[in-house]
Amino acid sequence: MKLLLSIIILASTAIAGEDSLPMPPGFSLDQKPQDVLSNYPLGVISSMAAYAHHGHPDQELILPNGSNGWVYELRSKQPATTYVQPDGTALNVQDGSAVGPSVRYTLVFGVDDKVIDVLYDDRHRQFGSNALQLQQSADANGK
């Protein structure tokens, strides 16, 4: 009975701790990546909280430094192509396989299972950055 009570107390403490976490920014193509990276709360978001907020990652991987990473890939759809039929009517066709540029956010988890960095990769514009770098340079500049 004592063991069961201890488990219930520990579980409720963990759940209560998750409720008071700061809300991380979501990943979307409409947001500036610098805003997402600058505002992501590092060192406090657990994998469980990240999963609850961002959903299932598109890919899970082990990074070269040995840390776990969750990749979220955002893809934009190509606009529909308009064809004119022989009778003169326009026909809009959306090819389901036509995908526009994509970007990737990778959550990096430390040994304590908390997000310690967020990597951003824009494969088409050759821009890449990370949250740790942006936040440290902002702290150094007094922002």
Side-chain angles (χ1 to χ4, degrees):
M1 183 65 176
K2 221 176 194 183
L3 179 63
L4 180 61
L5 184 59
S6 297
I7 291 172
I8 291 171
I9 291 171
L10 285 174
S12 64
T13 304
I15 292 170
E18 297 287 324
D19 290 342
S20 63
L21 294 175
M23 183 64 76
F27 303 137
S28 77
L29 293 171
D30 299 332
Q31 289 184 300
K32 291 181 181 176
Q34 291 85 352
D35 292 342
V36 172
L37 298 175
S38 296
N39 296 317
Y40 206 96
L42 300 178
V44 294
I45 304 296
S46 68
S47 61
M48 189 164 97
Y51 188 91
H53 183 70
H54 299 293
H56 190 73
D58 294 309
Q59 181 182 5
E60 293 183 39
L61 47 86
I62 303 295
L63 299 168
N65 66 357
S67 297
N68 290 326
W70 289 1
V71 179
Y72 293 90
E73 189 162 2
L74 308 174
R75 299 171 190 234
S76 63
K77 293 192 181 216
Q78 294 286 24
T81 305
T82 303
Y83 297 100
V84 178
Q85 296 182 359
D87 65 0
T89 59
L91 178 64
N92 290 327
V93 177
Q94 176 69 50
D95 180 5
S97 64
V99 178
S102 67
V103 298
R104 293 168 47 144
Y105 287 96
T106 303
L107 299 179
V108 180
F109 294 94
V111 293
D112 61 350
D113 198 39
K114 306 258 192 228
V115 176
I116 58 171
D117 202 359
V118 182
L119 311 177
Y120 173 78
D121 180 23
D122 184 343
R123 295 178 172 224
H124 298 281
R125 294 186 189 97
Q126 304 303 317
F127 171 77
S129 190
N130 64 6
L132 190 58
Q133 180 183 15
L134 282 176
Q135 292 179 21
Q136 283 180 340
S137 66
D139 288 344
N141 294 330
K143 292 183 181 177

